Amino acid sequence: MTISDEEAVDLYLKTQDQKCFDLLYSRYSSKIFGKCISILKDEEKAEDATQEIFVKILLNLSKFSGKSKFSTWIYSITYNYCIDSIRKRKKDKSVLVEDLANQHDTADDGLEDQFLLELNVKRLKIILDKIPVTDKSILLMKYQDELSIKEISEVLVKSESAIKMKIKRAKQKFKKVYKENYKDS
Amino acid sequence: MSKNSFKELAKDNQKNFEGKEKRIKENINHSIGFFHFIGDIIELFVPRVVQVFLGISGAKGPNKDAEEGGSRSSDSQDTPRYPNTLE
């Protein structure tokens, strides 16, 4: 019998049963690790981050209200942890400035979705590693986790219109860096 | 099914997790065990430490007052509550 994430959380909170934790760990550990390695770009740091994120999740499990999906809640902790960790490391304050600088650019979103989804994986990885961490995270949330605008707004604690704007700018940034790296295509 | 290079990238990244699963899980269990231990220590000792401080400061618990039943010594009845003030 399979139980949902939410049921496993409830059961864990009531019984502290290790099996519930094992279940959640088997469902999400590799995904969390994948996101950490994608953002932090370092296997060892991703390993430490996965561990700390899971400890954080377990210690805050009682705060999970069930308003959003458990996966959305877990991803919000993961993305916010990774973004904070990058910011602490690099003191990356250029993100906002870059966002503002891109305000006047225009983009054809319909075409870009197709372009992004069908891009060569190696190229995708290279370009994602070259754009600011917030842009990268928002693209991963939208295209990898397939979160809705509403869910992304919950993760980043921003309004839905702000998220739409951020996605648009992230795509513009991606396109710009792609053109710089692959002028022929 | 249409292609999604983001999902393929996620699969590639998750491949690196193989072999680390068990070690990370053990570390998480150790950390949680440690936090529980600290929680137990706090739960056990903090009330006692508070009691010790109350004892040192001379504060009496409500039960002790009740035991005395208002039968104060003649000294305490004779001396004013605030010795250096005019009452």
Side-chain angles (χ1 to χ4, degrees), chain A residues 25 43 47 116-117 144, chain B residues 5-7 20-21 23:
Chain A
Y25 184 80
E43 221 171 295
E47 213 176 307
L116 284 170
L117 294 173
Q144 198 172 78
Chain B
S5 47
F6 279 83
K7 297 249 181 214
K20 297 181 176 71
E21 200 175 344
R23 192 177 62 242

Side-chain angles (χ1 to χ4, degrees), chain A residues 18 21-22 25 29-30 33 37-38 43 47 51 54 116-119 121 124 128 143-144 146, chain B residues 3-10 13-14 16-17 20-21 23-25 27-29 31-32 35:
Chain A
Q18 182 70 22
F21 166 68
D22 291 348
Y25 184 80
S29 54
S30 63
F33 179 82
I37 205 164
S38 181
E43 221 171 295
E47 213 176 307
Q51 188 185 315
F54 255 100
L116 284 170
L117 294 173
E118 290 183 357
L119 199 64
V121 179
L124 176 68
L128 283 177
Y143 297 106
Q144 198 172 78
E146 292 177 335
Chain B
K3 186 185 170 178
N4 184 337
S5 47
F6 279 83
K7 297 249 181 214
E8 287 174 31
L9 179 65
N13 285 331
Q14 286 171 31
N16 296 317
F17 191 58
K20 297 181 176 71
E21 200 175 344
R23 192 177 62 242
I24 294 179
K25 196 176 176 183
N27 288 342
I28 293 166
N29 283 331
S31 300
I32 292 296
F35 282 119

Side-chain angles (χ1 to χ4, degrees), chain B residues 26-46:
Chain B
E26 279 172 4
N27 288 342
I28 293 166
N29 283 331
H30 283 147
S31 300
I32 292 296
F34 176 73
F35 282 119
H36 280 162
F37 174 70
I38 295 292
D40 289 345
I41 295 270
I42 290 170
E43 204 177 334
L44 187 69
F45 287 108
V46 165

Side-chain angles (χ1 to χ4, degrees), chain B residues 68-85:
Chain B
E68 285 175 359
S71 59
R72 291 181 177 178
S73 68
S74 57
D75 275 0
S76 66
Q77 279 175 340
D78 296 336
T79 51
R81 283 177 76 189
Y82 305 103
N84 296 323
T85 55

